[in-house]
Amino acid sequence: MSKPSVAEVRAGGQPEGIKERVNEEHWAGRLYMRAISPYASTFFVRLGVPPNPITYLMVVCGVLAGIVVAFGGLWSALLAALLIQVYLLLDCSDGEVARFTGRTSVTGVYLDRIGHYFAEVALLVGVGIRAQGEFTAGGWVVAGLAAALGAALIKAETDNVVVARAKAGLSDHVPAAALNPRSSGLSLARRIASALRFHRIIQAVELSLLVVVAAVVDAVRGDLAATQVLMAACVAVAALQTVLHLVSILASSRLR
């Protein structure tokens, strides 16, 4: 393939409306990463790198962030946050390369989904070890594992809507109207929860930034109180969101 320009890769890799996919596109992607990612995508296209290896690299960065953050200290928090930014960049880039080169595939979609599972689980477990203060079994490590389980279940609840609809012979596209619970009370609760955005605390980008803030506070105080408060908040949000998300799905028309 000839060497395409950044503008050509942007046009082919970012179709109209990609930034408006509220349920698919991360706010950081809409805010700044989609402006940066075509440069990385152009680099990969010119080298002839297929999209799937980019996704593998994305997964490595996400998991490595979870490993690094477990070591404690401000340096590890900053490095983990940087790795998550690279993870987000690659998450944008793999799809852009796939669309530009016409190499989209079911395997690519699957790898992308699994990659998000690995990254968020690894980061939450890493924060739990960080809150423990050492690489040993303890209550904070268990808390990290519990939060990671909740994050994985939330993703599984979402992904299994598509699985259930496919097995029932329905389209994988869920109409916007079907997202709203049939109960007015649950619908109001869902809108409030969506407005507060509290669920984002257990997502990789937001959590990595919060870990940096906690690390700064811990460095000033000389203890791990801020990281431990953050870990406790992650557990609470993961538990609450797991239940609320499941109830919201069952109370809506998504499975019909």
Side-chain angles (χ1 to χ4, degrees):
M1 179 179 289
S2 60
K3 293 184 178 181
S5 66
V6 174
E8 289 172 330
V9 173
R10 188 192 305 274
Q14 293 185 9
E16 185 177 354
I18 191 170
K19 293 183 180 180
E20 283 68 49
R21 303 179 305 171
V22 178
N23 293 325
E24 295 287 337
E25 189 73 10
H26 193 276
W27 62 264
R30 295 193 298 271
L31 183 63
Y32 61 88
M33 196 56 80
R34 284 295 181 185
I36 301 171
S37 58
Y39 293 92
S41 300
T42 302
F43 174 77
F44 288 125
V45 169
R46 288 177 177 177
L47 287 179
V49 178
N52 287 353
I54 302 172
T55 308
Y56 284 123
L57 185 58
M58 177 197 84
V59 177
V60 170
C61 287
V63 173
L64 189 57
I67 296 172
V68 167
V69 80
F71 283 90
L74 183 56
W75 71 270
S76 67
L78 291 170
L79 180 55
L82 177 60
L83 284 167
I84 291 298
Q85 290 299 310
V86 176
Y87 157 86
L88 179 61
L89 173 64
L90 296 171
D91 187 30
C92 292
S93 187
D94 61 358
E96 291 172 0
V97 171
R99 285 185 288 270
F100 181 78
T101 59
R103 301 180 72 170
T104 57
S105 66
V106 175
T107 301
V109 174
Y110 179 80
L111 288 173
D112 186 78
R113 293 284 190 178
I114 289 295
H116 292 304
Y117 278 74
F118 276 116
E120 293 191 6
V121 165
L123 191 58
L124 284 162
V125 172
V127 175
I129 297 172
R130 182 186 185 88
Q132 188 69 32
E134 56 184 340
F135 287 86
T136 185
W140 291 112
V141 176
V142 173
L145 291 169
L149 175 61
L153 285 173
I154 292 166
K155 288 188 172 297
E157 289 169 358
T158 300
D159 290 343
N160 273 291
V161 170
V162 177
V163 173
R165 288 177 62 88
K167 284 183 174 292
L170 300 174
S171 168
D172 62 351
H173 174 69
V174 182
L179 299 176
N180 296 319
R182 294 185 293 274
S183 166
S184 59
L186 282 174
S187 181
L188 176 61
R190 183 177 184 276
R191 288 198 299 272
I192 292 173
S194 179
L196 293 175
R197 308 288 185 187
F198 71 90
H199 61 283
R200 287 185 172 174
I201 190 176
I202 58 174
Q203 295 180 349
V205 174
E206 290 83 351
L207 180 57
S208 68
L209 298 177
L210 289 172
V211 169
V212 171
V213 174
V216 171
V217 175
D218 286 343
V220 172
R221 288 175 51 90
D223 57 23
L224 293 172
T227 297
Q228 291 170 350
V229 169
L230 175 59
M231 188 71 260
C234 288
V235 173
V237 168
L240 182 62
Q241 184 67 7
T242 299
V243 175
L244 288 180
H245 192 56
L246 179 60
V247 171
S248 176
I249 290 172
L250 293 175
S252 69
S253 301
R254 273 179 264 192
L255 299 178
R256 300 186 180 185

